[in-house]
Amino acid sequence: MENSKKKIIVTGSNRGIGYAIVDRLLREKFSVIMVDYDGEVINTAKNLNKIYNNVDGIQCDVSDFNACNDAFKDINKNEIYGIVNNAGINRDALFKNMEYNQWDAVIKTDLYSVFNVTKIFVNGMIENNCGRIVNISSASWNGNIGQANYAAAKAGVIGFTKTLAKELGKYNIKANAIIPGFIKTPMTDQLPDKIREKFIDRIPLKRIGLPEDVANATAFLLDEKSDYINGDLIEVGGGLVL
Ligand SMILES: NC(=O)c1ccc[n+]([C@@H]2O[C@H](COP(=O)([O-])OP(=O)(O)OC[C@H]3O[C@@H](n4cnc5c(N)ncnc54)[C@H](O)[C@@H]3O)[C@@H](O)[C@H]2O)c1
């Protein structure tokens, strides 16, 4: 099947890694549906459409299952070839200081969203007997000080991915995850310089990654070249292990 016939949903794609993924997929001639809770995504998609002509934008809070059902109700479920579950937030605090709302927001956005979006489209993929699911986890899944909420969500994403790989492989659906290390985006731009320098020191390549680095790995996992890769993790972190 040619890429233009493959429609990919990318969540959290109005900026950062999600936007770079969309840009890369459009260059590869995939059709893309951008999803973000920032309403600006509609304009972002319109602007990209002037160049590529195969991109839609949908405003949706993917942490909310009912909102997802509502936002995606007009999409033909058999039209979706791939899902990139990228939307995520962090609300860092040492666990002794972590408030319930910091836990709740991160688990809902970074983990429930992966259930919500995948659940809506998985039966269409099963009927089509093909599909790709790419989940964006994080090096923090391994445990990181100040990120009990984020690490729990991102480790959950890995368990979810590996289970779907086992359950859905027989339907020719492949599920894999990407583990970005420290990537330059608005999320990490908020960090104080001191913390950024500490991280860079721990990266064997001694530099911060770019959203395009994650986009390249994502495009690979949606490409026919990765047809026999299922239930795997690709680390995009310059060698960083937390
Ligand atoms: N930047 C990094 O260093 C890094 C490292 C590891 C993993 N990640 C992961 O990569 C993904 C993208 O991160 P980023 O750095 O590009 O973040 P970002 O904050 O720059 O962009 C995240 C995008 O997701 C959207 N979003 C957030 N919550 C949403 C929701 N509930 N519904 C719909 N859209 C929502 C935001 O509006 C934004 O456009 C996240 O899952 C993040 O955890 C990032």
Side-chain angles (χ1 to χ4, degrees):
M1 204 197 313
E2 35 184 281
N3 283 354
S4 61
K5 301 218 170 84
K6 294 178 182 163
K7 200 169 261 190
I8 317 286
I9 290 207
V10 185
T11 71
S13 47
N14 193 48
R15 68 179 204 191
I17 290 171
Y19 182 85
I21 291 171
V22 168
D23 185 64
R24 176 64 206 264
L25 295 181
L26 290 172
R27 285 166 201 265
E28 303 276 342
K29 303 202 168 13
F30 284 98
S31 296
V32 175
I33 300 179
M34 303 175 75
V35 179
D36 206 290
Y37 70 2
D38 183 344
E40 190 51 31
V41 71
I42 311 282
N43 281 330
T44 309
K46 266 190 198 151
N47 286 334
L48 284 169
N49 237 340
K50 289 179 194 155
I51 311 166
Y52 296 104
N53 204 26
N54 51 357
V55 53
D56 284 317
I58 296 181
Q59 181 180 16
C60 175
D61 175 356
V62 291
S63 70
D64 178 337
F65 189 52
N66 291 331
C68 289
N69 272 309
D70 195 40
F72 302 147
K73 66 178 184 307
D74 295 331
I75 300 177
N76 173 354
K77 304 297 182 293
N78 292 96
E79 242 178 44
I80 300 303
Y81 173 78
I83 304 169
V84 180
N85 286 304
N86 165 76
I89 56 167
N90 53 4
R91 297 285 181 271
D92 296 355
L94 290 176
F95 184 64
K96 67 186 174 72
N97 303 325
M98 189 175 284
E99 307 271 356
Y100 177 80
N101 62 2
Q102 293 174 300
W103 169 262
D104 191 52
V106 170
I107 298 294
K108 288 213 173 95
T109 306
D110 296 38
L111 184 58
Y112 276 45
S113 66
V114 177
F115 170 90
N116 296 343
V117 178
T118 310
K119 184 71 192 161
I120 290 172
F121 295 106
V122 74
N123 285 331
M125 290 181 170
I126 290 173
E127 280 168 28
N128 293 345
N129 201 42
C130 75
R132 302 282 175 109
I133 298 163
V134 181
N135 297 322
I136 308 298
S137 178
S138 164
S140 297
W141 81 272
N142 210 20
N144 195 27
I145 289 172
Q147 294 196 311
N149 47 1
Y150 189 72
K154 294 300 189 181
V157 166
I158 292 176
F160 177 84
T161 306
K162 286 184 170 280
T163 302
L164 289 204
K166 288 180 177 165
E167 290 187 11
L168 302 177
K170 64 181 171 208
Y171 304 112
N172 191 31
I173 298 168
K174 290 113 195 179
N176 295 289
I178 293 183
I179 305 184
F182 192 61
I183 309 295
K184 184 172 171 30
T185 69
M187 184 188 265
T188 47
D189 283 345
Q190 312 158 15
L191 291 170
D193 285 349
K194 244 187 169 175
I195 297 199
R196 185 173 301 113
E197 278 155 28
K198 251 186 167 173
F199 260 115
I200 293 174
D201 202 43
R202 292 174 67 182
I203 302 170
L205 287 185
K206 298 294 170 208
R207 62 178 171 83
I208 193 166
L210 296 176
E212 291 72 21
D213 294 317
V214 182
N216 287 338
T218 307
F220 172 67
L221 288 175
L222 292 165
D223 191 272
E224 275 163 23
K225 291 190 191 85
S226 62
D227 215 33
Y228 200 59
I229 299 182
N230 187 32
D232 259 313
L233 312 174
I234 299 186
E235 296 192 46
V236 184
L240 172 72
V241 178
L242 292 174

